[in-house]
Amino acid sequence: MTIYFYGADEVPYGCFSNFSAHGFDLDGSWWPTSEHYFPAQKFAGTRHADLVRRARTPLRAAELGRDASRPLRRDWERVKDDVMRRAVAAKFRTHADIREILLSTGDEEIVEDTTTDHYWGRGRTGNGKNMLGKTLMRTRSRLLVEGR
């Protein structure tokens, strides 16, 4: 059975959303959500990265991360998957309750059920890359190997 998720308020799988309120320490800073961490890394080492980190909501962090007036780091396309992997891993290593939810999915496929994002989710056609779902499944496998 495929597990679909999208909204952070969905029970029990809303914790898979980058908007879920599960903060973590990474790279020497506290990040309120993985949605704060991910777009901030587009501008790593700049004042704008800290503005994204301090955004009042994950939606605002996402909006700031899409600010086309700010230049993206040159290697963004190459590093963005690893940035997401690090954020998701930190989030699930930090919070035992949601780690158990992730581990409870066994070997089921996990899919971000969004029609607006063909890269991170399933996309409008349903044939998107689902990279967030794949990142969650890889994190699940790593946590199992680590015995967490």
Side-chain angles (χ1 to χ4, degrees), residues 24-31 37 41 83 86-88 90-91:
F24 51 87
D25 276 305
L26 190 58
D27 299 338
S29 294
W30 174 258
W31 302 91
Y37 181 81
Q41 299 316 299
V83 167
R86 294 182 73 238
V88 170
K91 172 178 159 177

Side-chain angles (χ1 to χ4, degrees), residues 36-142:
H36 284 78
Y37 181 81
F38 182 79
Q41 299 316 299
K42 294 177 178 181
F43 315 104
T46 71
R47 184 180 64 82
H48 195 65
D50 196 52
L51 289 173
V52 175
R53 184 181 66 80
R54 291 184 291 118
R56 291 178 50 96
T57 67
L59 178 60
R60 184 66 184 138
E63 291 167 350
L64 290 168
R66 289 191 291 269
D67 182 348
S69 72
R70 308 281 181 177
L72 292 178
R73 56 192 275 185
R74 289 183 186 161
D75 63 351
W76 181 244
E77 286 303 314
R78 185 173 53 79
V79 302
K80 69 182 180 182
D81 290 344
D82 191 54
V83 167
M84 184 66 77
R85 179 195 59 77
R86 294 182 73 238
V88 170
K91 172 178 159 177
F92 284 91
R93 284 187 175 113
T94 300
H95 300 278
D97 56 339
I98 64 171
R99 182 170 57 243
E100 290 310 312
I101 293 169
L102 180 60
L103 293 175
S104 77
T105 63
D107 60 358
E108 301 296 343
E109 182 179 18
I110 300 173
V111 175
E112 184 182 26
D113 191 18
T114 177
T115 58
T116 60
D117 194 328
H118 188 80
Y119 187 79
W120 294 109
R122 68 184 195 97
R124 184 179 50 78
T125 64
N127 296 318
K129 292 188 176 189
N130 188 40
M131 293 305 291
L132 180 54
K134 289 177 181 174
T135 300
L136 287 159
M137 291 182 284
R138 285 188 196 115
T139 300
R140 176 181 65 196
S141 295
R142 288 192 178 104

